[in-house]
Amino acid sequence: MFSHVMIGTDDIEAARKFYDATFAAFGGPAGITDPTGRLVYQHNGGIFIVTKPINGEPACGANGGTIGFAMTPEQADAWWQAGQDAGGTACENPPGLREGSPYYLAYLRDPSGNKLCALNVVGA
């Protein structure tokens, strides 16, 4: 259904530090900069792009929005720690299996405030 996800940032280099570290935690490659200055990540058939807003307005995290990445619980733990070490902020509960559900979740906000989630369906 989706071809890509694109988010905004006001600081491409802070975003590069954060996303290079978090994507490496689950086996993703470092980002590349395209000719327009956007930061592009490609992994397992997905494309994730970070850009300064085209309209010139400040970037902001989507209120109520979350971008999820599929990974193992071990990768989620490494991703969560790498994100904090690279300028992100932990949010919600610490990584773990959520009571009454089969979901192992970890949440971070990137340096621009975008909310991210690592998810694993335990037993799937």
Side-chain angles (χ1 to χ4, degrees):
M1 178 186 294
F2 300 107
S3 62
H4 67 282
V5 172
M6 183 181 290
I7 62 167
T9 187
D10 294 322
D11 187 338
I12 291 287
E13 290 312 309
R16 179 187 312 277
K17 177 182 175 186
F18 177 84
Y19 285 108
D20 278 2
T22 57
F23 287 0
F26 62 86
I32 60 165
T33 303
D34 77 4
T36 64
R38 289 178 253 184
L39 187 54
V40 180
Y41 294 87
Q42 296 183 44
H43 184 61
N44 291 340
I47 301 172
F48 186 82
I49 305 166
V50 184
T51 186
K52 289 189 174 193
I54 295 170
N55 66 2
E57 296 292 322
C60 64
N63 187 14
T66 302
I67 299 168
F69 299 97
M71 59 188 82
T72 68
E74 297 79 18
Q75 290 171 328
D77 291 345
W79 171 89
W80 186 76
Q81 189 60 56
Q84 291 177 82
D85 294 345
T89 306
C91 60
E92 307 230 355
N93 296 319
L97 188 61
R98 296 306 188 250
E99 186 175 333
S101 81
Y103 302 118
Y104 190 97
L105 301 168
Y107 288 94
L108 288 170
R109 288 199 182 271
D110 75 5
S112 295
N114 295 294
K115 188 175 177 185
L116 310 169
C117 176
L119 178 138
N120 178 270
V121 180
V122 177

